[in-house]
Structures are given as structure tokens and as C-alpha cells.
Amino acid sequence: MWLLVIVLLNIVPGFEKITVLNTFATSEECQVERNRIAFEMAAAYPNDRDFVIACRLNPKHSS
């Protein structure tokens, strides 16, 4: 199982450093959604680079 996560690069009070946005069965499915969200975030926040959107393999369900 793959996790789509947002990783905050700066400490923000009240927010977790890593937040799971969604889960996917395959890396390919996760990458499609990651690319879509990253594009939308870049358009909405063009000067904000304080986060990373990434696909991560869930360590509890490595497959």
C-alpha cells in the first residue's frame, strides 16, 4: 500500500510534520495523484516551497 503524504519542511504549530492525504494500491496510482496535487499546489501557492507532496511505501504494508 502506498501513501500520498504532504511533508512540511518548516515547523508549524498545531500541524503534524507528515500528513497522509490518501492511500493507493500501486505506486503508479499514487504518482498520478501526486502529480495532480503538486501541479494544483504550485499554481495556488507559487512562492511557497515549505512542503513536499510525495508517495511513500507504507512500512506496515510493504508490497
Side-chain angles (χ1 to χ4, degrees):
M1 178 179 295
W2 287 84
L3 305 174
L4 180 62
V5 299
I6 185 167
V7 180
L8 300 178
L9 303 177
N10 291 324
I11 296 172
V12 179
F15 289 95
E16 296 292 323
K17 183 171 175 75
I18 297 176
T19 301
V20 175
L21 301 175
N22 209 338
T23 60
F24 297 90
T26 68
S27 172
E28 291 78 17
E29 291 172 333
C30 188
Q31 278 302 126
V32 168
E33 187 66 0
R34 180 244 168 259
N35 292 344
R36 185 190 70 77
I37 290 174
F39 178 80
E40 296 285 336
M41 293 289 283
Y45 305 99
N47 298 316
D48 189 357
R49 301 291 183 226
D50 292 346
F51 60 89
V52 174
I53 307 291
C55 292
R56 302 275 171 91
L57 186 60
N58 186 343
K60 295 179 184 175
H61 300 97
S62 59
S63 58

